[in-house]
Amino acid sequence: MNKEKRTLLLAAPRGFCAGVDRAIQIVERALEKYGAPVYVRHEIVHNRFVVENLEKKGAVFVDELKDIPKDVPVIFSAHGVAKSVPTEAENRKMFYIDATCPLVSKVHREAERHERDNNEIILIGHRGHPEVIGTMGQLAEGQITLVETAEEARAFTPNQPGKGLAYLTQTTLSVDETREIVGILKERFPAIESPRKEDICYATTNRQAAVKILAERCEGLLVIGAPNSSNSMRLVEVAERSGCAEVAMVQRASDIPWERFKNIGTIGITAGASAPETLVEEVVDAFSRRYDVSVEEIVTNQEQVVFKMPKILEREGAA
């Protein structure tokens, strides 16, 4: 029996970014150096497959420091933490390693600089996201105002009109939506200070740009990622706004909504920045079992970013 033909277009870049790769390596190297268990405060990245694999190796994921014994290493997730978290760890005499993505740490330092410069700060981001909680927690409560939507940007009123005004952004936002919000703020407050270098990270920008190109060439698109992953959710939204008729998020191949895609001949596939390549391969294999598949990679950018490991985990002889 002849199989129906399907064309799979793979976005490139896709999947792990440098910050996620570094965070996972931090947990793995800590396990090598100190042995199991190593505790991690919150999910190291937003992907259950990654978390479960690390659990098998001896990582233990908890919500709060009070859930961790004092004599084991603790790692802070890639999303960053409020300043109160390392302070609490020090008060509890815990040994901790910070796996915060360096691009998130950059936003934290910007917040501190604006405070020193006596600027009132707006943070563009999603309420309740760990990265937003961590960034707002770099300063005293009330020092940063969160703006989530264009409507909130239009309604924003400075708390201290005599001060300068500056904005920061979460690193994993929709590029287009953020541009709209920034445009509103700049129109209302022409002197507002922008980040010295774009806060939305290179990986978020590149993956969204790749999805836009993919959406022009396919009728259906799968985003491999997690519903609590901001960058993955933004890829779904970008695909939908780009006019792709059928868009679905799947955490892995077992989630593929076959009925929705049964009449679609060309299907795009991408993966959020916290989704490993093995899950992409799993999805391609699932299609190959059902259909006569041809696979084409659509390369829109090359990524060569690598972040250094914390000094305490650098291997002997490493650069």
Side-chain angles (χ1 to χ4, degrees), residues 24-84:
I24 293 166
Q25 283 191 61
I26 285 173
V27 179
E28 290 175 336
R29 289 199 191 178
L31 285 164
E32 287 174 17
K33 183 168 183 176
Y34 305 110
V38 165
Y39 280 71
V40 184
R41 184 184 178 276
H42 295 174
E43 291 187 339
I44 188 70
V45 297
H46 284 155
N47 187 278
R48 283 307 307 165
F49 181 84
V50 170
V51 168
E52 287 166 7
N53 272 353
L54 291 172
E55 284 175 333
K56 289 172 188 170
K57 295 176 181 179
V60 179
F61 294 86
V62 298
D63 289 331
E64 300 299 341
L65 296 182
K66 64 181 174 58
D67 303 321
I68 303 172
K70 288 182 182 177
D71 56 348
V72 295
V74 56
I75 295 169
F76 302 149
S77 81
H79 310 101
V81 295
K83 278 191 173 173
S84 59

Side-chain angles (χ1 to χ4, degrees), residues 12 16 77 91 93 112 157 159 168 180 204 212 215 220 228 245 272:
F16 279 179
S77 81
N91 290 340
K93 296 183 169 48
E112 293 170 344
T157 304
N159 296 319
L168 308 169
E180 180 189 5
T204 296
K212 288 179 182 178
N228 62 338

Side-chain angles (χ1 to χ4, degrees), residues 7-8 16 32 36 40 87 92 104 107 135 141 152 164 177 196-197 230 242 270 274 278 295 302 306:
T7 300
L8 303 182
F16 279 179
E32 287 174 17
V40 184
T87 299
R92 290 174 177 270
V104 174
V107 180
T135 298
E141 191 172 346
E152 289 180 9
E177 285 186 4
R196 289 174 179 172
K197 188 176 179 185
S230 176
S242 298
T270 189
S274 48
T278 186
V295 179
Q302 300 282 353
V306 178

Side-chain angles (χ1 to χ4, degrees), residues 102-179:
L103 298 181
V104 174
S105 296
K106 164 191 164 290
V107 180
H108 293 179
R109 302 294 81 76
E110 286 178 328
E112 293 170 344
R113 175 175 63 83
H114 286 309
E115 184 184 42
R116 288 195 301 273
D117 292 346
N118 202 33
N119 287 328
E120 184 172 345
I121 304 166
I122 296 169
L123 174 64
I124 303 169
H126 294 294
R127 279 180 181 79
H129 190 277
E131 182 185 328
V132 166
I133 293 168
T135 298
M136 295 187 75
Q138 297 307 300
L139 305 181
E141 191 172 346
Q143 293 293 100
I144 300 176
T145 300
L146 183 65
V147 167
E148 191 168 14
T149 64
E151 290 70 29
E152 289 180 9
R154 292 188 188 97
F156 170 77
T157 304
N159 296 319
Q160 297 172 301
K163 279 182 138 184
L165 199 59
Y167 76 86
L168 308 169
T169 80
Q170 185 179 334
T171 63
T172 55
L173 297 179
S174 161
V175 174
D176 295 334
E177 285 186 4
T178 304
R179 187 182 297 119

